[in-house]
């Protein structure tokens, strides 16, 4: 669906060349929700703005359903842009236009007949559940409602792709959940593919299928959301994920305060139901002290971890640890 190859974006700054996007390649399948996370300044916005050539890439290729965007002339590019909607953190609605007029705007640019425009806008007002606000101005509706209007406007031309640049960052949790629900429905009902930048862990966990982590213009790691949160490959990803979360138990727990071995056990949808700890106690005659635990809903599955202390003979504790790993749990000694 989307294939990005060796994309580079350079800016000239005070006579120096600065690479905001540095040789980035990735692929997104149809129907996927692909997240991009990373520190501020990592190049996320620039990368996403390059995908519809709002920002002109310096080098590289972008394929959307096999069409190479970089080779398109101005007119062809305008036509192709109808396939790519975009929403922003700040909504970017026209303040002087009503909700109806905001959603109708891209269709008016396309010079569609009035009746057709009306029909499509009505459809979208129903989709975002804001029929009653059709004549309101952006100043008269809430932040969550503004973003719903922005989504309807982005979807007006029936694009295949929606780009979201921190689309939920300005919203409270209840409105964020509503917007995520709307995005999920857009994927399901309209066969869309979404690329979204977010710094909100909960958002990334909740909705993304795969995530790319950006740092200094590069994608340093890419994985399914489960794998990324459970077992980041890169130490830098791990620190980054930690920095986004509140203080974790691991930062509070000092293993040296415990006599036994303190371990972190990660489990997922396949291992969450196994009574491994009670087996372990019976089988190896070790004592298990549960220090903390956590379970998260990640996309469609539950993953979590426990931090436990294993007490007993050194040899049996090691055997117990091997056993836990054999059962499919991810084990890390703290
Ligand atoms: P992110 O979205 O990850 O916060 P950005 O893509 O906004 O990062 O920015 C990446 C880097 O590119 C930053 O250092 C930023 O200052 C720089 N940058 C972005 N846009 C421009 C521009 N128009 N001119 C010069 N530098 C820019």
């Amino acid at each position: 669906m989307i294939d990005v190859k060796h994309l580079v974006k350079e800016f000239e700054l005070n006579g120096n060349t600065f690479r905001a996007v540095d040789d980035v390649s990735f692929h997104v399948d149809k129907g996927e929700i692909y997240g991009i996370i990373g520190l501020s300044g990592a190049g996320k916005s620039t990368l996403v703005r390059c995908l519809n050539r709002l920002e002109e890439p310096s080098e590289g290729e972008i394929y959307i359903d096999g069409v190479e965007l970089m080779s398109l002339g101005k007119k062809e590019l305008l036509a192709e842009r109808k396939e790519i909607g975009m929403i922003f953190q700040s909504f970017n609605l026209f303040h002087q236009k009503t909700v109806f007029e905001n959603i109708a705007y891209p269709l008016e640019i396309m010079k569609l007949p009035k009746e057709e425009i009306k029909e499509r806008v009505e459809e979208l007002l129903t989709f975002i559940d804001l029929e009653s606000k059709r004549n309101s101005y952006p100043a008269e509706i809430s932040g969550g409602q503004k973003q719903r209007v922005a989504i309807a406007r982005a979807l007006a031309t029936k694009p295949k792709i929606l780009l979201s640049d921190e689309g939920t960052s300005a919203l409270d949790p209840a409105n964020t959940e509503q917007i995520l629900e709307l995005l999920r429905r857009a994927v399901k009902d309209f066969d869309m593919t979404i690329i979204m930048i977010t710094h909100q862990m909960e958002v990334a966990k909740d909705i993304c299928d795969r995530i790319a982590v950006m740092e200094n213009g590069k994608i340093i790691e890419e994985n399914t959301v489960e794998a990324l949160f459970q077992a980041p490959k890169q130490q830098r990803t791990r620190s980054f994920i930690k920095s986004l979360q509140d203080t974790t138990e691991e930062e509070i727990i000092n293993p040296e305060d415990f006599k036994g071995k303190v371990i972190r056990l990660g489990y997922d949808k396949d291992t969450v139901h196994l009574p491994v700890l009670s087996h372990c106690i019976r089988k190896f005659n070790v004592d298990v002290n549960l220090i903390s635990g956590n379970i998260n809903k990640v996309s469609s599955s539950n993953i979590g971890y426990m931090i436990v202390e294993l007490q007993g003979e050194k040899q049996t504790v090691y055997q117990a640890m091997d056993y836990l790993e054999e059962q499919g749990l991810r084990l890390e000694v703290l």
Side-chain angles (χ1 to χ4, degrees):
M1 166 90 212
I2 305 171
D3 254 315
V4 174
K5 295 186 179 167
H6 305 293
L7 196 79
V8 173
K9 174 65 191 178
E10 293 180 334
F11 292 111
E12 295 299 327
L13 270 181
N14 313 323
N16 295 318
T17 305
F18 173 74
R19 277 201 169 197
V21 176
D22 189 2
D23 194 12
V24 164
S25 301
F26 64 98
H27 171 86
V28 181
D29 279 326
K30 188 173 168 58
E32 256 195 313
I33 302 184
Y34 186 85
I36 302 177
I37 64 174
L39 294 174
S40 173
K44 306 179 296 295
S45 280
T46 309
L47 170 62
V48 165
R49 290 164 61 83
C50 281
L51 298 183
N52 54 6
R53 285 179 58 187
L54 268 183
E55 202 73 77
E56 203 53 59
S58 311
E59 287 171 38
E61 293 155 42
I62 301 164
Y63 294 88
I64 310 263
D65 271 344
V67 176
E68 212 289 286
L69 283 199
M70 297 301 291
S71 61
L72 300 182
K74 214 171 167 183
K75 220 169 147 190
E76 296 159 313
L77 178 62
L78 279 179
E80 192 59 30
R81 275 218 186 109
K82 286 194 209 100
E83 305 291 349
I84 312 173
M86 186 155 184
I87 58 167
F88 305 86
Q89 175 172 357
S90 50
F91 320 124
N92 290 14
L93 295 178
F94 301 110
H95 299 295
Q96 333 78 307
K97 289 185 190 288
T98 63
V99 164
F100 186 101
E101 290 162 351
N102 264 284
I103 301 172
Y105 181 76
L107 303 171
E108 280 162 4
I109 297 282
M110 283 168 71
K111 300 200 172 21
L112 290 190
K114 266 209 153 44
E115 263 317 296
E116 213 172 301
I117 294 180
K118 186 167 178 326
E119 200 178 313
R120 178 74 183 139
V121 175
E122 291 298 338
E123 230 173 75
L124 287 160
L125 281 169
T126 308
F127 178 70
I128 61 170
D129 198 16
L130 280 183
E131 293 102 321
S132 61
K133 300 285 182 192
R134 77 186 69 222
N135 295 323
S136 304
Y137 287 88
E140 297 163 353
I141 58 177
S142 74
Q145 291 172 334
K146 285 192 191 91
Q147 196 59 297
R148 276 147 69 186
V149 175
I151 290 175
R153 186 180 59 181
L155 299 184
T157 57
K158 304 193 176 171
K160 292 186 266 198
I161 297 167
L162 181 69
L163 306 175
S164 166
D165 190 348
E166 298 282 8
T168 53
S169 302
L171 305 177
D172 62 27
N175 277 312
T176 295
E177 189 38 55
Q178 276 193 359
I179 294 297
L180 296 185
E181 189 47 42
L182 206 54
L183 296 180
R184 276 192 210 98
R185 275 207 284 134
V187 169
K188 220 165 121 250
D189 298 357
F190 304 141
D191 280 337
M192 297 198 66
T193 303
I194 298 182
I195 296 186
M196 60 190 303
I197 299 174
T198 181
H199 72 273
Q200 296 167 290
M201 293 308 275
E202 292 317 311
V203 168
K205 280 182 179 171
D206 201 7
I207 195 170
C208 294
D209 298 305
R210 284 190 305 137
I211 292 187
V213 184
M214 271 193 93
E215 187 181 282
N216 296 331
K218 289 185 181 294
I219 291 183
I220 60 164
E221 181 160 354
E222 185 196 56
N223 219 327
T224 60
V225 66
E226 286 92 348
L228 194 90
F229 285 105
Q230 267 209 317
K233 282 183 269 186
Q234 300 257 3
Q235 183 54 40
R236 284 175 299 170
T237 309
R238 179 176 281 229
S239 338
F240 172 65
I241 289 175
K242 263 191 170 174
S243 75
L244 292 181
Q245 286 165 329
D246 292 336
T247 318
T248 62
E249 289 93 334
E250 281 148 299
E251 287 165 316
I252 303 166
I253 296 161
N254 180 6
E256 299 191 346
D257 295 341
F258 296 84
K259 286 200 308 261
K261 271 256 170 278
V262 178
I263 58 172
R264 182 184 200 272
L265 292 170
Y267 51 88
D268 57 21
K269 59 180 186 316
D270 298 321
T271 46
V272 67
H273 304 291
L274 304 175
V276 281
L277 285 183
S278 58
H279 281 180
C280 212
I281 294 167
R282 284 205 298 271
K283 215 169 147 91
F284 300 101
N285 193 28
V286 291
D287 286 318
V288 177
N289 169 27
L290 176 63
I291 302 170
S292 82
N294 173 303
I295 186 156
N296 269 295
K297 190 160 175 53
V298 174
S299 271
S300 54
S301 57
N302 294 324
I303 62 167
Y305 70 87
M306 280 179 283
I307 297 178
V308 300
E309 177 192 15
L310 299 180
Q311 295 174 351
E313 291 286 328
K314 206 167 166 183
Q315 222 36 46
T316 47
V317 165
Y318 285 148
Q319 282 170 0
M321 284 164 58
D322 286 340
Y323 168 79
L324 290 167
E325 281 196 300
E326 282 160 20
Q327 300 306 305
L329 276 78
R330 263 185 330 94
L331 185 146
E332 190 187 335
V333 178
L334 300 182

